[in-house]
């Protein structure tokens, strides 16, 4: 039942315990206990609302920053990641394989604020070898949700 609960809540976190119970053909108390256990075990970490900020008057800049770093002896990537994720501008931080080591999602008020964060905070760290900053221009899809109503292509398909 846990996997089913997680799948449903991942798709719509507003699903209530009675709705879950009905969908799973299970007792409400049993479902409530299962959800509480998932929360207690830190499998469910929180409930979020996905917002299209482009349709509001919020004027923040979002950027993705790639970092190449030298891992610390005996601490690996964890110690530098811990220093980085404490900054309020950092919305997410992920260890990656490939051309760079860490991927940060950063938000700040202006392009200059993001640039200042990179040059004064990130680039100054001893472990940081290089940075690459990519500014978000528009979001089309996030967490499997389309941000714009994509009009259906009504053109006729031509086959030979």
């Amino acid at each position: 039942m846990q996997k089913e609960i997680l799948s449903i809540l991942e798709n719509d976190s507003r699903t209530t315990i009675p709705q879950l119970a009905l969908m799973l053909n299970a007792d409400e108390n049993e479902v409530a206990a299962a959800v509480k256990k998932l929360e207690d075990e830190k499998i469910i970490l929180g409930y979020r609302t996905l917002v299209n900020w482009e349709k509001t008057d919020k004027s923040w800049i979002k950027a993705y920053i790639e970092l190449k770093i030298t891992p610390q002896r005996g601490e690996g990537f964890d110690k530098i990641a811990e220093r980085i994720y404490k900054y309020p501008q950092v919305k997410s931080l992920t260890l990656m394989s490939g051309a760079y080591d860490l991927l940060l999602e950063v938000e700040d008020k202006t392009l200059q604020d993001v640039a200042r964060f990179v040059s004064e905070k990130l680039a100054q760290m001893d472990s940081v070898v290089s940075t690459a900053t990519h500014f978000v221009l528009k979001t089309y899809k996030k967490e499997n949700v389309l941000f714009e109503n994509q009009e259906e292509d009504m053109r006729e398909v031509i086959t030979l």
Side-chain angles (χ1 to χ4, degrees):
M1 176 177 4
Q2 282 188 347
K3 286 182 184 175
E4 291 87 359
I5 290 172
L6 292 171
S7 292
I8 293 167
L9 291 177
E10 183 179 40
N11 189 47
D12 183 0
S13 64
R14 295 184 314 161
T15 306
T16 65
I17 298 296
Q19 290 171 325
L20 283 169
L22 184 64
M23 294 167 84
L24 299 170
N25 196 25
D27 178 70
E28 283 186 30
N29 292 330
E30 181 184 353
V31 171
V35 169
K36 172 126 179 49
K37 182 178 183 211
L38 290 165
E39 292 168 342
D40 291 345
E41 293 177 354
K42 304 288 186 216
I43 295 170
I44 294 178
L45 298 174
Y47 300 89
R48 307 261 337 228
T49 300
L50 189 58
V51 178
N52 185 351
W53 289 107
E54 294 173 13
K55 292 191 173 196
T56 71
D57 60 358
K58 179 183 176 187
S59 59
W60 285 69
I61 301 297
K62 182 180 286 191
Y64 290 98
I65 302 169
E66 302 169 358
L67 293 181
K68 290 184 184 180
I69 64 172
T70 303
Q72 300 297 307
R73 173 169 275 165
E75 297 170 350
F77 295 100
D78 295 342
K79 201 66 165 179
I80 188 75
E82 184 178 338
R83 284 182 60 199
I84 293 169
Y85 67 60
K86 289 181 179 179
Y87 288 107
Q89 299 93 326
V90 178
K91 300 304 174 194
S92 69
L93 175 62
T94 307
L95 179 63
M96 306 292 290
S97 65
Y100 54 92
D101 302 305
L102 296 175
L103 178 65
L104 290 74
E105 181 180 345
V106 172
E107 286 185 356
D108 217 326
K109 293 177 186 149
T110 67
L111 291 169
Q112 292 79 13
D113 290 330
V114 173
R116 196 171 12 266
F117 172 69
V118 172
S119 64
E120 295 176 5
K121 303 294 185 197
L122 297 177
Q124 298 296 321
M125 294 180 180
D126 291 338
S127 299
V128 174
V129 175
S130 68
T131 67
T133 303
H134 309 275
F135 291 99
V136 174
L137 303 177
K138 182 175 182 176
T139 301
Y140 294 98
K141 183 177 180 179
K142 184 172 184 178
E143 296 185 29
N144 216 24
V145 175
L146 293 177
F147 272 50
E148 296 290 328
N149 290 336
Q150 303 295 320
E151 292 186 26
E152 188 176 335
D153 188 351
M154 300 302 289
R155 295 178 291 179
E156 190 174 329
V157 176
I158 298 174
T159 59
L160 299 176

